């Protein structure tokens, strides 16, 4: 992600829309992960470069589409758990991506209309869809922050305009830590964000892993052809993110296996993804 959060504008409800005064222009010739994800999910907000890179990835690893869809279902289960069982009413969603069905605020406010959500991404195309993301319930609020995940301080500063950071927050980091090239840096970013959140906050993390050699090879081939690089993590690396947190059962598991609802069918995500939910004490 790349960007800079330093400006304000209008927004839904009583929270100001936070955007950057210096937003980069949309590049249609360079593929972006948010738009590729939208392509795999059957959306329409992508360019030829994104479709080409997305098809290269799918040809190299057909299971990527299933991984995208199972991760979306996991988001729904995670948010509903945080609302219904953990009592969370505030969410900071890093790496938002393009709006599709059942975004974080829609899931949360369906159960608890007073929920407040701040989305964070750096793709200018996502910024153009911020109004779609900002369809909050009257009782709650949604906001969008155009910001760089590599710099947690402005994210926390911007989020504080909508969220009360003295109260627990659900920090959602789905498919984002693999875009940080160094593991130590990804850990530092995540801990920096958690340090700014109150006790009782939760980290929900989902990422692609190196458990499937076919996915490892596919990522290598996509990178060679100019696709968006993604660092696949080992199980130990995923557990590192929860080192100082209380893991919620069932712990660190493949995405489809985290508190499934109904029968779980075999999925490429069983060996190519891991997720977890941890509580800050």
């Amino acid at each position: 992600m790349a960007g800079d959060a330093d400006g304000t504008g209008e927004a839904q409800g009583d929270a100001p829309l936070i955007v950057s005064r210096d937003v980069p222009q949309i590049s249609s010739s360079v593929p972006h992960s948010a738009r590729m994800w939208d392509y795999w999910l059957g959306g329409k907000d992508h360019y030829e470069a994104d479709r080409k890179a997305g098809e290269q990835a799918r040809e190299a690893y057909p299971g990527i589409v299933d991984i995208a869809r199972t991760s979306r279902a996991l988001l729904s289960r995670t948010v509903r758990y945080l609302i219904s069982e953990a009592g969370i009413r505030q969410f900071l969603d890093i790496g938002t991506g393009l709006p599709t069905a059942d975004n974080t605020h829609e899931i949360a406010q369906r159960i608890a209309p007073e929920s407040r959500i701040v989305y964070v991404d750096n793709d200018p195309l996502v910024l153009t869809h911020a109004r779609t993301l900002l369809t909050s319930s009257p009782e709650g609020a949604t906001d969008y922050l155009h910001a760089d995940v590599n710099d947690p301080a402005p994210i926390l500063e911007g989020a504080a305009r909508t969220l009360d950071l003295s109260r627990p927050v659900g920090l959602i980091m789905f498919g984002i830590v693999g875009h940080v090239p160094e593991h130590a840096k990804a850990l530092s970013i995540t801990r920096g964000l958690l340090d700014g959140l109150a006790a009782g906050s939760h980290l929900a993390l989902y990422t692609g892993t190196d458990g499937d050699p076919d996915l490892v090879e596919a990522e290598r081939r996509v990178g060679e052809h100019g696709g968006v690089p993604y660092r696949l993590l080992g199980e130990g690396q995923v557990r590192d993110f929860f080192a100082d947190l209380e893991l919620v059962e069932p712990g660190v598991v493949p995405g489809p296996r985290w508190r499934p609802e109904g029968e779980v069918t075999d999925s490429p995500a069983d060996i190519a993804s891991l997720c977890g939910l941890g509580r800050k004490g």
Side-chain angles (χ1 to χ4, degrees), residues 23-176:
V23 177
Q25 294 296 308
I26 296 172
S27 174
S28 62
S29 63
V30 179
H32 190 282
S33 59
R35 301 193 297 264
M36 290 171 63
W37 206 255
D38 178 74
Y39 175 66
W40 293 327
L41 288 172
K44 62 183 188 307
D45 296 305
H46 39 71
Y47 298 113
E48 179 60 30
D50 307 304
R51 293 189 288 274
K52 183 177 179 180
E55 276 304 308
Q56 288 174 345
R58 180 156 61 178
E59 290 171 6
Y61 187 73
I64 193 65
V65 174
D66 185 71
I67 288 174
R69 291 173 180 171
T70 57
S71 75
R72 199 70 188 178
L74 173 65
L75 174 67
S76 179
R77 298 197 304 275
T78 300
V79 172
R80 284 188 277 116
Y81 171 89
L82 289 170
I83 288 282
S84 301
E85 300 193 42
I88 298 293
R89 295 295 184 271
Q90 306 186 109
F91 295 86
L92 180 57
D93 188 337
I94 311 287
T96 305
L98 290 157
T100 59
D102 274 353
N103 296 289
T104 298
H105 75 282
E106 293 170 316
I107 302 164
Q109 292 180 347
R110 194 176 299 140
I111 306 168
E114 71 276 17
S115 298
R116 303 175 75 84
I117 296 90
V118 172
Y119 292 106
V120 181
D121 208 300
N122 80 314
D123 183 0
L125 187 59
V126 178
L127 177 60
T128 68
H129 287 271
R131 291 294 176 187
T132 303
L133 286 167
L134 295 174
T135 54
S136 175
S137 66
E139 302 91 334
T142 61
D143 212 340
Y144 176 82
L145 180 63
H146 190 88
D148 188 341
V149 71
N150 290 286
D151 193 359
I155 292 177
L156 291 169
E157 180 181 355
R161 303 185 62 146
T162 301
L163 309 179
D164 179 357
L165 301 188
S166 69
R167 300 178 63 83
V169 172
L171 173 61
I172 298 175
M173 301 184 73
F174 272 37
I176 187 66

Side-chain angles (χ1 to χ4, degrees), residues 153-240:
I155 292 177
L156 291 169
E157 180 181 355
R161 303 185 62 146
T162 301
L163 309 179
D164 179 357
L165 301 188
S166 69
R167 300 178 63 83
V169 172
L171 173 61
I172 298 175
M173 301 184 73
F174 272 37
I176 187 66
V177 296
H179 289 298
V180 181
E182 296 88 23
H183 186 56
K185 177 66 172 177
L187 288 174
S188 175
I189 289 168
T190 306
R191 288 168 182 162
L193 290 166
L194 285 168
D195 284 346
L197 304 181
S201 294
H202 287 64
L203 168 66
L205 184 141
Y206 173 91
T207 188
T209 67
D210 60 7
D212 187 342
D214 290 340
L215 179 58
V216 174
E217 173 63 15
E219 285 292 342
R220 185 191 68 79
R221 289 168 57 187
V222 169
E224 285 182 349
H225 289 85
V228 180
Y230 192 91
R231 182 174 56 89
L232 298 171
L233 277 62
E235 181 176 349
Q237 292 176 309
V238 176
R239 291 187 179 278
D240 287 344

Side-chain angles (χ1 to χ4, degrees), residues 228-257:
V228 180
Y230 192 91
R231 182 174 56 89
L232 298 171
L233 277 62
E235 181 176 349
Q237 292 176 309
V238 176
R239 291 187 179 278
D240 287 344
F241 289 95
F242 300 99
D244 300 319
L245 305 176
E246 176 188 349
L247 267 172
V248 174
E249 291 293 334
V252 174
V253 295
R257 307 292 165 174

